[in-house]
Amino acid sequence: MTPLALTPPAIEPVSLSEAKDFLRILADDEDELLGTLLTAARLMIEAASGRLLIEQSWRVVLDAWPQGGEIRLPLSPVRSLTAARVHPPAGAAELVAPSSLTLVEGPDPPLIGVSGPVPAPGRARSAIEIDLVAGFGATRDTVPAPLRQAVLRLACRWFEHRGDVVSRDAMRLPAEIAALVAPFRRVRL
């Protein structure tokens, strides 16, 4: 199973003005740098937690339908399924009826139940594509406060320590930020 990002989030979970207030920055000359750090911090917190913070579109690609009729998704939280297609041996992909796939509420990792007839895949690899929307929501206030705080603190830490010598531990989250992420960390598939 391969997840592919289709569209990035429309906003970051922490605004540029929030980060500037936290850092007590009044000038605008480093806005681009700080904005880039906010995006990088979101990506690192998403990777560490296994959760997508702001709503974004993804495609999950499968080779075949699962035996048990359940597709365990590598993304969390999943908000909705938008489309599914199956590729035949030749020609255009065939749409899967929306009633044939059901997003199961509650489990983590999220599940899609195959609840109706689905076309058989016509090729050995990348035969099934399922498009979905994942993330806590479309606005900043839908993201849990500890995860927003982790993004803010990480971006601001990088801003304040830019140019410092990088150690081997640079790829690890600092302990105080890891503690904010820990309650939301999900088990990897």
Side-chain angles (χ1 to χ4, degrees):
M1 178 179 320
T2 305
L4 305 168
L6 298 178
T7 59
I11 61 172
E12 292 300 336
V14 175
S15 71
L16 182 61
S17 63
E18 287 175 287
K20 287 174 72 172
D21 288 347
F22 187 83
L23 290 165
R24 299 184 182 146
I25 296 174
L26 300 175
D28 297 335
D29 55 340
E30 296 192 279
D31 285 3
E32 186 176 345
L33 170 63
L34 189 51
T36 300
L37 293 174
L38 286 167
T39 299
R42 173 189 46 87
L43 290 168
M44 191 160 185
I45 297 304
E46 286 177 340
S49 67
R51 311 265 179 209
L52 297 168
L53 303 185
I54 295 287
E55 218 172 70
Q56 45 198 281
S57 297
W58 284 77
R59 176 170 293 150
V60 175
V61 180
L62 305 160
D63 295 335
W65 295 109
Q67 287 294 335
E70 288 185 341
I71 303 166
R72 293 190 184 281
L73 296 171
L75 307 167
S76 179
V78 174
R79 304 195 42 82
S80 64
L81 302 177
T82 55
R85 291 166 296 291
V86 176
H87 292 276
E94 184 179 342
L95 287 175
V96 175
S99 60
S100 293
L101 300 177
T102 305
L103 183 60
V104 179
E105 297 290 326
D108 195 17
L111 294 173
I112 295 174
V114 179
S115 54
V118 291
R123 59 188 190 197
R125 299 274 183 247
S126 303
I128 302 165
E129 298 174 343
I130 301 172
D131 294 348
L132 51 88
V133 175
F136 285 104
T139 61
R140 291 179 177 100
D141 64 334
T142 59
V143 179
L147 293 176
R148 290 186 74 238
Q149 189 65 211
V151 170
L152 174 66
R153 288 178 177 261
L154 186 58
C156 292
R157 181 184 184 100
W158 288 340
F159 184 85
E160 290 176 331
H161 296 284
R162 61 193 158 157
D164 290 352
V165 176
V166 178
S167 70
R168 281 195 259 163
D169 293 332
M171 295 308 294
R172 289 187 211 177
L173 288 176
E176 68 277 8
I177 296 171
L180 291 167
V181 173
F184 299 93
R185 190 169 285 127
R186 70 183 281 253
V187 176
R188 305 279 189 220
L189 292 177

